[in-house]
Amino acid sequence: MLFRSKFASELKSDPRSSLAEIGNAAYIDFRMSTIPTSGAKDRQQIVDLVVAALQRKPRDYFQFAEGLGMMLESLGDGEMAAIAYEKFGDILSKNLDENIRAAGDTFKNISFRRARLLCGDPLKIAGKALDGKPFDVNQYKGKVVVIDYWATWCGPCRAELKNLAAIYEKYHDRGFEIVGVSIDDNHDDLTNFLKENKLPWKIINSSVPKGKEFEHPLADQYGIMGIPTLYVLNREGKVISLTARGPQLTALVDNLMTGQGGVNGAGQSVQ
């Protein structure tokens, strides 16, 4: 690892601009790999490195910016992720290219909003459930809640339902709830699936055109880009994870339900 860092540092000082840029990208990539074990000061420095690179070559470093934000979110560092998204968005939203400007607006608004959930901003999930009754996640305050963004056409989503069902059966009577946000584009597909697969928790669905599934308003507001995506809320209604799935989700809910708090992606205790 030291060799990798030294090589990248030397290459980014090369007088040949093309090689220097390769070295700079390699150096940023190396620094990003250290984020899981780095502190707040080092993370801020890495954000600043990407900011400087975006100012020079936004197209070349957009993926670095996106990856850095998502990495910070997965580690539970919503504060630094929000700072990063705001800075990245400020740069890109002023670009002459329409697509780059749009990406900047997404960073400044949707991505920033999602990251702020980890800082205590309230999650807003409301709509009409499939039983026809209005639903608001606030009615589950005082319970541990998992929000499951899914669809019947998504194989990994259907696999995760088995894990969710096991957790629900184990803890529902002790104050655990699940809310399914279906982004199915065909309401009949959803209702037929649920006839064969009885899910005992609330399901919200709002029909969207085929190919526009991720424009479902409840998915779009937080920039859901892939499913299954599961958000975990503690009994105070605070989001403590945006990425947990499978065994990690089970362990997180186990800790919350047994009164041991939880551990977010950064390894920090959360209550």
Side-chain angles (χ1 to χ4, degrees), residues 16 25 134 160 192 221 234 253 255 265:
R16 292 163 291 186
E160 189 70 45
N192 290 334
Q221 68 177 335
N234 64 14
V253 174
N255 286 334

Side-chain angles (χ1 to χ4, degrees), residues 235-255:
R235 292 185 185 275
E236 288 69 47
K238 182 182 184 300
V239 174
I240 63 170
S241 174
L242 302 173
T243 58
R245 284 172 57 182
Q248 183 186 20
L249 176 68
T250 300
L252 184 56
V253 174
D254 281 344
N255 286 334

Side-chain angles (χ1 to χ4, degrees), residues 138-233:
N138 287 327
Q139 69 192 59
Y140 284 162
K141 194 75 174 286
K143 299 183 177 184
V144 174
V145 183
V146 170
I147 308 295
D148 176 30
Y149 293 91
W150 72 295
T152 60
W153 45 260
C154 167
C157 297
R158 293 167 72 147
E160 189 70 45
L161 288 177
K162 298 178 181 179
N163 184 45
L164 287 170
I167 299 172
Y168 187 88
E169 182 177 0
K170 183 177 181 180
Y171 289 122
H172 176 62
D173 291 342
R174 295 166 59 181
F176 173 75
E177 298 286 354
I178 297 171
V179 180
V181 179
S182 161
I183 65 169
D184 279 281
D185 58 2
N186 188 314
H187 190 75
D188 290 339
D189 287 347
L190 176 61
T191 54
N192 290 334
F193 177 86
L194 293 175
K195 286 178 182 177
E196 298 180 9
N197 303 269
K198 305 294 185 182
L199 300 182
W201 51 82
K202 293 285 186 180
I203 303 288
I204 300 174
N205 172 249
S206 178
S207 296
V208 290
K210 192 170 183 62
K212 303 285 187 179
E213 292 88 351
F214 290 98
E215 294 182 16
H216 184 300
L218 293 181
D220 183 62
Q221 68 177 335
Y222 295 119
I224 303 298
M225 295 175 287
I227 52 174
T229 290
L230 299 105
Y231 290 178
V232 181
L233 289 73

Side-chain angles (χ1 to χ4, degrees), residues 32-73:
M32 285 176 60
S33 72
T34 69
I35 282 180
T37 57
S38 64
K41 184 177 179 180
D42 286 336
R43 291 181 181 184
Q44 181 65 69
Q45 290 176 349
I46 296 167
V47 169
D48 291 342
L49 283 172
V50 176
V51 165
L54 275 180
Q55 289 173 328
R56 293 196 319 275
K57 294 194 172 185
R59 287 185 182 277
D60 292 352
Y61 288 94
F62 171 77
Q63 288 189 330
F64 282 88
E66 186 176 48
L68 176 55
M70 296 298 290
M71 185 183 299
L72 290 167
E73 286 183 42

Side-chain angles (χ1 to χ4, degrees), residues 7-9 11-13 18-28:
F7 174 75
S9 297
L11 188 60
K12 70 187 183 77
S13 300
S18 59
L19 290 180
E21 204 60 61
I22 292 173
N24 189 62
Y27 181 69
I28 293 175

